[in-house]
Amino acid sequence: MRLLILLLSLSIIHFGCRRGGNESLANEYHFELVDTLQINLMYEFGFVTKSMVDGYMLVYTYHDGVFHLINSTGKVQKSIDRKGEGPREYNRNLPFATIFNKMIVFMDTRKLIFYDLNGEWVKSVSYHNLGSLGQIGIPESDLLFIDSGRFVVPNQKIVDLPNVSGHLTMLDTIPLWIEYKFSDITGKYEKANVGFMDTTGILYSSLKYLNYKSMMWFQDGFLCQIPQLTDIIYRYEVGRSLYPLDKVSLKIPNFKDPIGLEVEALTVDNYQFFNKSAAVNSFINYVVPMENGSFFAIYSTGLSEFEYDKLIEDAKPPEGEFYGYYFDNILSEGHRVHLPQNGVHPSFWKKVTYLGQGRFLFVYDNEIERDYYIGGVFGLKKM
């Protein structure tokens, strides 16, 4: 434990990945180390759940494709590997998973499979698949239950929409999210409602968009959505509004307007420009709701074009600066937050989850002992 405390203490001497940007921006909040955990997993892993649910976190080890239930002390409570084609198994194309109502829920391309917290099968329920292909590897955690009979998922088809010929004419027919309701008549989850993008916003324009993917979560009875490449939050009332009820620009510090939207499609000739746009654009890769209607996000500011050209010239990976963003719902104001330093890595990609009451778990690579990982519990504190 002394070794863990020493390593974590060294890692938070400096906050952020690299100092830079507008240093005149006030940082009224900071992360303070309050505890350390040892997570006994040998292989590289990522969090599936963005927050702890029912006292547990769900993680996925990439090397063997196994799910693990971890408790608040970092102990692996149960490992689950039920890949297969049977009625009590999930197939390899697993787009969504979560913890809900003291059960682990997997959504593959045919059904939802429910296991209890001991890993025992509870039930499997089919759903009306709209043709999504799923994904192999770590699933998205955006399986959003409203109650036991209703849930919402982002529409996976929207991600590949820019690659579809004439996709601009399809924007008003392809929903961003889909609600499913359990039907007593069919005995499965049926499509019930959908939500479309804002027809006055940048996503719905005459320009091509590199990625329509969004961060989504439920909060205060509303479905909230933030497109990855913009800092605008939209709110829907599921079952009552096809389009956003409102939108608010968060004005996240140093978050840039996206570039490269005018390019028609990825080609052999313009792939370098696409790569540059991806590195230069700002983006959001993590959002989690907190108490009192507040939320926390992790975002990249993106590189300047000069920085990108210099890094490419020096044969170095183009990595932007990552920060946290805390939105205080009571005061209706947002604050940039420096992240704990993660060695040479620019972010905690899939390595952070919310524990509740303003506490976050950030997981570090263990460069000394390869048979476990170090987790730092940080409290979000006001200066």
Side-chain angles (χ1 to χ4, degrees):
M1 181 58 71
R2 292 179 61 186
L3 175 61
L4 293 179
I5 295 174
L6 174 61
L7 288 172
L8 268 294
S9 299
L10 291 174
S11 68
I12 61 168
I13 291 176
H14 301 287
F15 287 95
C17 304
R18 295 197 311 272
R19 296 190 64 82
N22 187 356
E23 293 300 330
S24 65
L25 292 169
N27 294 291
E28 296 188 18
Y29 287 84
H30 72 286
F31 278 116
E32 180 181 297
L33 179 67
V34 296
D35 199 4
T36 56
L37 303 177
Q38 178 174 310
I39 301 174
N40 294 317
L41 290 173
M42 294 181 59
Y43 301 131
E44 179 79 8
F45 71 89
F47 285 106
V48 177
T49 50
K50 293 184 175 72
S51 61
M52 187 169 65
V53 183
D54 294 329
Y56 294 97
M57 300 158 276
L58 187 64
V59 306
Y60 175 90
T61 44
Y62 301 98
H63 175 78
D64 52 7
V66 175
F67 293 90
H68 307 272
L69 202 62
I70 297 177
N71 65 21
S72 60
T73 67
K75 181 181 178 181
V76 178
Q77 189 77 16
K78 190 69 181 180
S79 297
I80 301 173
D81 184 9
R82 298 286 185 86
K83 290 187 291 290
E85 297 300 327
R88 300 187 178 191
E89 301 169 321
Y90 51 83
N91 60 48
R92 297 182 66 227
N93 295 312
L94 194 64
F96 304 111
T98 194
I99 300 172
F100 171 73
N101 198 23
K102 300 188 184 302
M103 288 183 289
I104 308 164
V105 188
F106 298 105
M107 182 179 181
D108 67 14
T109 55
R110 297 180 301 172
K111 61 188 180 300
L112 276 70
I113 310 96
F114 297 78
Y115 302 96
D116 65 22
L117 297 180
N118 292 317
E120 297 298 323
W121 178 82
V122 177
K123 61 181 178 179
S124 297
V125 184
S126 300
Y127 71 97
H128 181 204
N129 192 324
L130 300 179
S132 60
L133 298 178
Q135 64 185 55
I136 296 176
I138 187 169
E140 299 286 347
S141 62
D142 298 315
L143 177 56
L144 306 173
F145 275 93
I146 302 173
D147 53 47
S148 59
R150 301 168 62 203
F151 66 90
V152 170
V153 290
N155 184 7
Q156 287 187 289
K157 289 184 177 181
I158 206 77
V159 177
D160 296 323
L161 194 57
N163 298 322
V164 178
S165 177
H167 86 276
L168 292 174
T169 61
M170 301 169 59
L171 288 181
D172 59 349
T173 64
I174 303 295
L176 285 174
W177 54 263
I178 303 167
E179 180 200 10
Y180 289 90
K181 286 185 180 180
F182 180 78
S183 169
D184 291 325
I185 298 175
T186 65
K188 64 181 182 179
Y189 288 102
E190 301 284 356
K191 174 184 170 183
N193 292 291
V194 297
F196 296 97
M197 65 182 64
D198 172 32
T199 57
T200 65
I202 192 170
L203 289 178
Y204 198 96
S205 69
S206 60
L207 303 175
K208 292 278 184 176
Y209 206 68
L210 295 180
N211 190 343
Y212 290 96
K213 188 176 180 181
S214 299
M215 301 288 102
M216 294 185 187
W217 71 99
F218 272 118
Q219 197 159 23
D220 297 333
F222 295 94
L223 178 64
C224 302
Q225 174 225 351
I226 298 182
Q228 281 192 316
L229 294 182
T230 71
D231 62 345
I232 299 174
I233 182 171
Y234 300 88
R235 295 195 314 161
Y236 297 81
E237 192 171 1
V238 176
R240 293 178 179 269
S241 60
L242 290 176
Y243 298 93
L245 297 172
D246 53 31
K247 61 180 178 180
V248 177
S249 176
L250 297 173
K251 296 181 172 56
I252 297 176
N254 291 356
F255 201 97
K256 300 191 293 289
D257 291 332
I259 68 168
L261 306 188
E262 72 281 3
V263 179
E264 284 297 317
L266 177 63
T267 66
V268 174
D269 297 324
N270 67 18
Y271 76 93
Q272 290 182 332
F273 178 75
F274 264 78
N275 290 341
K276 185 174 183 176
S277 297
V280 170
N281 284 333
S282 302
F283 66 90
I284 296 172
N285 66 11
Y286 174 87
V287 181
V288 65
M290 300 175 65
E291 294 78 11
N292 300 318
S294 301
F295 66 87
F296 178 80
I298 293 178
Y299 71 100
S300 168
T301 59
L303 297 168
S304 69
E305 294 192 51
F306 173 79
E307 286 177 308
Y308 177 84
D309 293 337
K310 186 68 169 61
L311 288 170
I312 293 299
E313 181 181 335
D314 296 339
K316 295 180 179 179
E319 298 170 330
E321 298 176 356
F322 283 79
Y323 293 96
Y325 176 81
Y326 171 63
F327 183 81
D328 186 329
N329 184 59
I330 296 176
L331 299 177
S332 295
E333 60 184 25
H335 303 272
R336 184 178 69 175
V337 185
H338 285 288
L339 298 176
Q341 190 176 12
N342 190 20
V344 299
H345 302 291
S347 75
F348 289 88
W349 178 250
K350 292 291 185 180
K351 288 291 186 69
V352 59
T353 196
Y354 183 53
L355 302 178
Q357 303 301 316
R359 297 175 303 121
F360 290 80
L361 175 62
F362 291 89
V363 176
Y364 296 80
D365 293 330
N366 186 352
E367 302 296 339
I368 298 176
E369 297 288 342
R370 296 290 182 174
D371 57 347
Y372 66 89
Y373 282 80
I374 302 168
V377 179
F378 289 82
L380 185 61
K381 308 287 185 179
K382 194 165 186 178
M383 293 288 194

